[in-house]
DNA sequence: TTTTATTTTTAGTTTTGTCTAAATTTAATT
DNA sequence: AATTAAATTTAGACAAAACTAAAAATAAAA
């Protein structure tokens, strides 16, 4: 499997989680910053290799084989992210790009030894679950901060949108995975929250609360 | 710089150490398992990028820029090898291939953080020196075991040929970097050595002794 | 249900890195 | 010094992965 093929498989996997009936050409092109025609070409190739099932104009889904490949790529990506943050001291907004490269390193032995070295982590630095060596993903039960009841306490366990801007905002406010959050008050007009994070009081917009997972 | 370009630069660097006057096309082709005509094509491209200086039929040498790039690739390769052996528990005959992939990961920050994480090692698991962030390589004074005087004691510090077969031989004989070697006797006829390694007596062919560096 | 708009695919090119086969240059030998 | 041998380069072709522009299919709107 080439790097390019792996990138297509990975994108189809992520889009499948949102639209499991079939992923359309334009969506893939958008994610990969390429053109729809290039996607069509690649779908034929991946279909020949039995990694996706594809019928003209009908969108694509991953085959069993393709799904497994996708999970292994995601596994590698997330394990490398843990390594970069826990061992090398990167902050969580810096690791995505580097992990995009590292996820294409081929050795299966490497990734399993890395997994052991890291202590078999369940989630990456953004709170996303890490598939095990067989591809099994343990679901992490979590709610968006925007949806929890008032006056209960939670732990931050992940982010929905992991764009650099959002992660930098969290860093600035000293919000990290594991931080304890308690919703003190919710404004009816615009859903702005007053929260207490690690004992510090903070006002948070609905957009922020809608991007932060708690448990 | 593409992965292919980096591989050419790296090979030219290694060949330059043996023939500093200029590396010839066929030698490069041999190392990269490609054809001489492909090498010629690539030399034009690398020359345009000012990474090598190249004149038809006259062989190539690295430019200042090319030399620096080569050292950075070697730095990455050897640091990753240290990581694989010291942190992940690979044996020294398993790491080369994986490091061949890892050496092409782009981030400079990554490699400097990795260097720090590993404790700024001076040499890789085969005893080869690791260039620092500026490209400076501290020479390791070393002699081939085949060339040392009888009855003196040394430490193993590296290997010349790091082929899998040779490394496996060393593993089998429990010879590792750091092992203490004392030459007891040398056969005049075929230069076979009788040595004591970590207290254990062993007979070693000249071919072996000629591949093992001591200090 | 036509017509229009959008999405997707086809057809034909481009670039990168490779190849083969032929031509050229350098090195070696007589 | 002329001839042969070896190494190197050119010319032309190919596969992978991308592109543009045009054609075809599907979805949306009148």
């Amino acid at each position: 499997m080439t790097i390019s093929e792996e990138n297509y498989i990975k994108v189809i996997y992520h889009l499948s989680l949102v639209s499991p009936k079939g992923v359309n050409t334009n969506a893939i092109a958008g994610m990969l910053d390429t053109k729809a025609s290039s996607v069509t070409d690649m779908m034929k190739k991946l279909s020949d290799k039995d990694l996706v099932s594809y019928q003209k104009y009908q969108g694509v889904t991953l085959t069993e084989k393709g799904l497994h490949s996708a999970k292994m790529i995601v596994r590698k990506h997330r394990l490398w992210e843990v390594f970069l943050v826990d061992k090398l001291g990167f902050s969580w907004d810096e690791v995505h790009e580097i992990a995009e490269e590292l996820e294409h390193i081929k050795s299966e032995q490497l990734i399993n030894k890395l997994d052991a070295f890291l202590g078999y982590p369940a989630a990456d630095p953004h709170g996303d679950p890490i598939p095990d060596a067989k591809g099994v993903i343990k679901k992490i039960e979590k709610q968006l901060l925007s949806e929890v009841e008032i006056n209960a306490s939670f732990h931050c366990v992940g982010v929905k949108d992991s764009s650099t801007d959002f992660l930098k905002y969290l860093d600035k406010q000293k919000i990290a995975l594991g931080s304890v959050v308690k919703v003190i008050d919710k404004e009816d007009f615009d859903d702005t929250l007053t929260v207490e994070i690690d004992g510090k009081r903070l006002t948070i917009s609905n957009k922020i609360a809608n991007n932060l997972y708690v448990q």
Side-chain angles (χ1 to χ4, degrees), chain A:
Chain A
M1 230 171 149
T2 67
I3 290 176
S4 190
E5 287 171 350
E6 289 193 343
N7 282 331
Y8 274 96
I9 290 293
K10 186 183 55 167
V11 160
I12 294 168
Y13 172 75
H14 287 305
L15 291 170
S16 294
L17 299 178
V18 182
S19 46
K21 311 268 170 194
V23 177
N24 46 307
T25 307
N26 258 358
I28 299 170
M31 294 279 280
L32 286 169
D33 204 29
T34 182
K35 294 288 147 70
S37 55
S38 309
V39 176
T40 302
D41 288 346
M42 185 57 93
M43 289 314 104
K44 284 177 189 159
K45 198 204 292 191
L46 294 179
S47 183
D48 288 346
K49 291 193 172 186
D50 193 33
L51 290 162
V52 303
S53 70
Y54 164 69
Q55 294 161 139
K56 281 190 195 178
Y57 298 101
Q58 301 311 135
V60 287
T61 53
L62 292 173
T63 61
E64 194 113 340
K65 198 173 147 192
L67 179 62
H68 186 259
S69 302
K71 283 174 175 171
M72 286 305 108
I73 299 166
V74 168
R75 169 170 162 78
K76 288 196 250 180
H77 183 101
R78 292 181 181 166
L79 281 173
W80 281 117
E81 284 199 345
V82 173
F83 170 72
L84 294 172
V85 170
D86 285 9
K87 302 294 180 182
L88 298 195
F90 279 94
S91 65
W92 64 354
D93 57 299
E94 299 174 310
V95 297
H96 185 76
E97 276 180 70
I98 301 175
E100 288 282 295
E101 291 189 60
L102 286 165
E103 75 191 2
H104 300 295
I105 303 294
K106 293 277 174 294
S107 166
E108 200 178 314
Q109 212 192 347
L110 168 63
I111 210 65
N112 291 336
K113 279 179 185 265
L114 180 65
D115 196 10
F117 177 62
L118 298 172
Y120 303 102
D124 77 8
H126 309 99
D128 296 313
I130 298 174
D132 71 16
K134 286 178 183 158
V136 178
I137 302 175
K138 271 217 195 92
K139 264 243 196 62
I140 295 174
E141 286 153 47
K142 56 193 182 184
Q143 296 176 272
L144 285 169
L145 183 58
S146 56
E147 289 165 349
V148 302
E149 67 270 38
I150 289 179
N151 267 322
S153 272
F154 298 91
H155 290 274
C156 293
V157 294
V159 295
K160 195 166 98 185
D161 159 23
S162 59
S163 68
T164 304
D165 280 350
F166 181 55
L167 296 176
K168 280 192 171 156
Y169 166 83
L170 295 178
D171 276 343
K172 202 163 71 187
Q173 303 294 349
K174 301 260 190 289
I175 302 172
L177 291 203
S179 294
V180 177
V181 197
K182 185 178 176 184
V183 180
I184 306 293
D185 193 28
K186 187 176 207 168
E187 206 59 61
D188 283 335
F189 178 62
D190 63 354
D191 291 333
T192 291
L193 298 182
T194 303
V195 297
E196 216 170 76
I197 296 191
D198 294 331
K200 229 176 61 190
R201 209 160 261 233
L202 210 65
T203 304
I204 275 186
S205 76
N206 177 256
K207 191 172 174 186
I208 296 291
N210 205 35
N211 267 326
L212 198 56
Y213 285 116
V214 297
Q215 191 177 27

